[in-house]
């Protein structure tokens, strides 16, 4: 019962945090990715690169965990 309460609390906290953080982002453009020729898209490119590397790192680490569990499990 205690585990279920903790899981429900975590889900509610996560949904609340996502709702609180997404509201300001939906109301405005946070990064100008324009193509005016004055380098205004540089920050957008850097942030996109960080995002792609973060996703790649997450997928890489999840794959390593999966492989280690497969090797550790007795068959």
């Amino acid at each position: 019962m205690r585990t279920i309460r903790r899981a429900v609390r975590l889900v509610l906290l996560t949904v609340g945090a996502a709702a609180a953080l997404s509201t300001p982002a939906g109301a405005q453009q946070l990064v100008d990715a324009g193509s005016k020729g004055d380098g205004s898209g540089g920050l957008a490119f850097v942030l996109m690169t960080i995002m792609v590397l973060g996703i790649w790192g997450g997928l890489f680490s999840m794959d390593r965990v999966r492989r280690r569990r497969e090797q550790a499990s007795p068959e």
Side-chain angles (χ1 to χ4, degrees):
M1 190 68 173
R2 200 166 148 194
T3 306
I4 294 172
R5 286 184 194 163
R6 185 179 288 170
V8 169
R9 192 178 304 155
L10 180 64
V11 168
L12 290 176
L13 181 66
T14 303
V15 169
L21 293 174
S22 67
T23 303
Q28 58 191 348
Q29 183 178 356
L30 297 178
V31 177
D32 183 20
S35 58
K36 301 173 195 162
D38 60 354
S40 60
L43 178 61
F45 178 76
V46 169
L47 292 176
M48 183 198 66
T49 304
I50 291 170
M51 179 190 68
V52 168
L53 289 174
I55 291 171
W56 179 83
L59 291 173
F60 180 78
S61 66
M62 285 187 280
D63 188 49
R64 276 188 77 166
V65 168
R66 180 186 58 84
R67 286 184 186 177
R68 285 184 182 173
R69 284 188 183 165
E70 286 178 354
Q71 290 175 354
S73 66
E75 291 182 295

